[in-house]
Amino acid sequence: MSRRVSILGCTGSVGKSTLDLMERADPGTYEFVALTAHSSVQELAGMALQYRPEVAVIADADRYEELARLLKGSGVEAAAGPSALVEAASRPVEWTMAAIVGAAGLEPTAAALQQGSIVAIANKECLVCAGDYFMRLAKERGARVLPVDSEHNAIFQSIYPGHDDHIRRIILTASGGPFRDWPREKMATVSREDALAHPVWSMGAKISIDSATLMNKGLEVIEACRLFGLAPDRVDVVVHRQSVIHGLVEYIDGSVLAQLGSPDMRIPIASTLSWPERMETPAEPLDLAAIGQLDFEPPDENRFPALRIAREALIAGEGATAALNAANEIAVAAFLDEKIAFLDIPRLVSECLEALDKQQSLPSRFSGMEAALAVDQSARRLTSRLVNGS
Ligand code: NAD
Ligand code: MG
């Protein structure tokens, strides 16, 4: 029996690693239902012709004609635009990979959860924006959320379900990004290329920049609290440059359980794909003797203020984390467009949060997704104005 699967964000780094694993399985193991992408229409069409899903969706509606032309006669349905994305994500499947980047993944990921099946979530921004709502939705619908982010997947693997009172705290590791050893003055001159060159992981552009500012770790602290239902003071971060240990759980008796592995996203993805079993992957086996040494140090919140800003938003509540996420998305896009400097990213996020807080009272908890989307939109507008200096 084939397993019905959908991949939201199939042309991205996580999407491709997912397909890489699926391609290695016996023919007929998977039946593809939806493959989706933002604007890389040629790549999406190539994947659709290879994997033959029921539907291929391009989020950018202007590319519909091209997609339809490329898929003509193939039997694969072509669709476009945000509502088509949500419709495709709601088609019945047993397993969905939610790997869209940014809050754009919010509605499609919620649609996948509505089905009540397994949703592997890489799209951390949707948990930062509306994580409590997502976890409530999953519970109501009987869906199983499996974290793909390597740190959260490590924690998930190291936790015994139903024994939350045994946990003292969890620890997320951070590689420290490309500027972990740079003085702050030098960080003012960082170029787009410097920031995109991650020392350990190969990832999409947005998360690479987030890793360089350490906002990624801030988003991950928020993600962890929402996924595992923990208070902010029970989630710590340690810089571990080798990225061999991905996450640790400290228990009340002093035992610490961790998950280790080569820095290869196919390992956490495989754990969600085979859950609750295990499957083989082509990832390099971990050779501790060859690595020789594992280093740990506390994160430096003076050089990397994003981590502190994210923690403050987490304490303030869901309205603040949704605004943080949106402001960061706009600031990162502006940095990638070379409109602002690297150190402007955390500065603009902080300014947006302060200004929004004065304008409106940000809710500490969202009752539904509409409220989250409204805060997301206000923060985007405000940060865009800040970027343009008005
Ligand atoms: P990526 O930029 O490589 O790919 C993003 C995917 O989303 C692409 O398929 C793209 O077409 C699609 N997309 C982008 N904007 C969209 C929009 N507006 N509407 C619909 N689709 C859109 O990103 P990635 O590195 O694969 O990361 C995906 C998600 O996984 C992110 O949330 C990231 O934080 C998370 N994540 C990634 C890694 C990694 O190693 N790459 C690790 C942990 C978590
Ligand atoms: Mg991570």
Side-chain angles (χ1 to χ4, degrees):
M1 275 275 284
S2 299
R3 193 177 193 204
R4 286 171 61 88
V5 298
S6 284
I7 305 178
L8 314 176
C10 66
T11 54
S13 163
V14 171
K16 283 183 188 155
S17 294
T18 307
L19 286 169
D20 175 85
L21 288 170
M22 290 177 166
E23 213 173 290
R24 293 166 196 270
D26 293 334
T29 303
Y30 300 105
E31 182 185 338
F32 293 89
V33 176
L35 292 182
T36 82
H38 179 233
S39 52
S40 27
V41 67
Q42 302 263 357
E43 200 173 12
L44 175 64
M47 288 174 167
L49 294 176
Q50 184 178 352
Y51 299 104
R52 304 277 160 170
E54 276 177 28
V55 61
V57 187
I58 195 84
D60 179 353
D62 292 344
R63 320 240 168 174
Y64 173 73
E65 303 298 329
E66 194 179 351
L67 183 66
R69 183 175 52 74
L70 290 166
L71 294 182
K72 199 167 175 216
S74 69
V76 179
E77 188 185 330
S83 51
L85 199 59
V86 171
E87 188 280 321
S90 12
R91 295 194 188 192
V93 289
E94 286 146 89
W95 190 91
T96 301
M97 167 55 80
I100 291 173
V101 61
L106 217 68
E107 289 173 285
T109 306
L113 283 173
Q114 287 280 4
Q115 293 186 35
S117 52
I118 299 177
V119 183
I121 299 195
N123 179 207
K124 69 187 80 185
E125 294 89 351
C126 72
L127 293 171
V128 172
C129 193
D132 285 340
Y133 166 73
F134 269 72
M135 298 312 284
R136 280 201 305 278
L137 179 65
K139 205 168 168 192
E140 270 167 37
R141 306 295 303 177
R144 166 58 80 166
V145 170
L146 297 177
V148 173
D149 212 345
S150 56
E151 298 76 1
H152 306 72
N153 185 267
I155 305 288
F156 179 78
Q157 293 197 42
S158 309
I159 273 183
Y160 293 104
H163 292 282
D164 294 358
D165 54 336
H166 291 175
I167 298 167
R168 188 182 285 156
R169 61 174 181 147
I170 63 174
I171 305 159
L172 310 177
T173 57
S175 71
F179 312 127
R180 62 192 169 204
D181 301 318
W182 286 36
R184 193 161 164 85
E185 310 77 71
K186 198 174 163 201
M187 280 160 64
T189 65
V190 158
S191 72
R192 189 177 180 277
E193 281 60 42
D194 293 334
L196 284 171
H198 196 275
V200 185
W201 300 93
S202 151
M203 310 178 285
K206 195 257 173 184
I207 183 175
S208 297
I209 303 303
D210 285 345
S211 300
T213 58
L214 248 64
M215 181 60 89
N216 184 49
K217 215 44 60 177
L219 299 178
E220 289 186 355
V221 169
I222 302 168
E223 180 186 11
C225 290
R226 304 266 158 84
L227 274 170
F228 303 113
L230 293 172
D233 61 356
R234 291 171 75 199
V235 182
D236 282 341
V237 172
V238 68
V239 175
H240 162 47
R241 55 184 65 216
Q242 292 85 4
S243 294
V244 163
I245 302 180
H246 302 295
L248 309 93
V249 182
E250 184 181 300
Y251 288 90
I252 48 176
D253 60 2
S255 296
V256 179
L257 300 194
Q259 185 260 0
L260 289 74
S262 301
D264 184 329
M265 281 306 289
R266 289 176 299 185
I267 298 176
I269 295 169
S271 109
T272 66
L273 192 54
S274 59
W275 182 87
E277 307 291 330
R278 297 264 176 193
M279 63 189 273
E280 294 213 19
T281 76
E284 271 301 297
L286 188 62
D287 184 345
L288 286 174
I291 294 163
Q293 185 179 331
L294 297 182
D295 298 296
F296 304 96
E297 58 195 287
D300 180 346
E301 291 189 5
N302 292 321
R303 281 187 304 131
F304 298 99
L307 191 53
R308 176 180 42 75
I309 298 166
R311 268 199 189 278
E312 286 167 4
L314 173 61
I315 292 163
E318 282 198 291
T321 56
L324 168 99
N325 178 65
N328 183 58
E329 284 191 32
I330 297 293
V332 169
F335 172 74
L336 286 169
D337 284 348
E338 301 182 317
K339 286 186 186 154
I340 62 168
F342 183 71
L343 293 179
D344 290 334
I345 301 174
R347 182 181 62 77
L348 287 176
V349 172
S350 182
E351 281 179 25
C352 167
L353 283 168
E354 267 173 43
L356 261 191
D357 200 39
K358 281 190 194 132
Q359 272 178 22
Q360 61 185 92
S361 62
L362 291 168
S364 60
R365 198 154 182 262
F366 290 131
S367 50
M369 201 164 42
E370 295 68 33
L373 288 170
V375 171
D376 173 89
Q377 289 304 317
S378 329
R380 275 170 206 274
R381 280 194 299 273
L382 186 64
T383 316
S384 300
R385 283 206 297 276
L386 293 171
V387 165
N388 297 322
S390 59

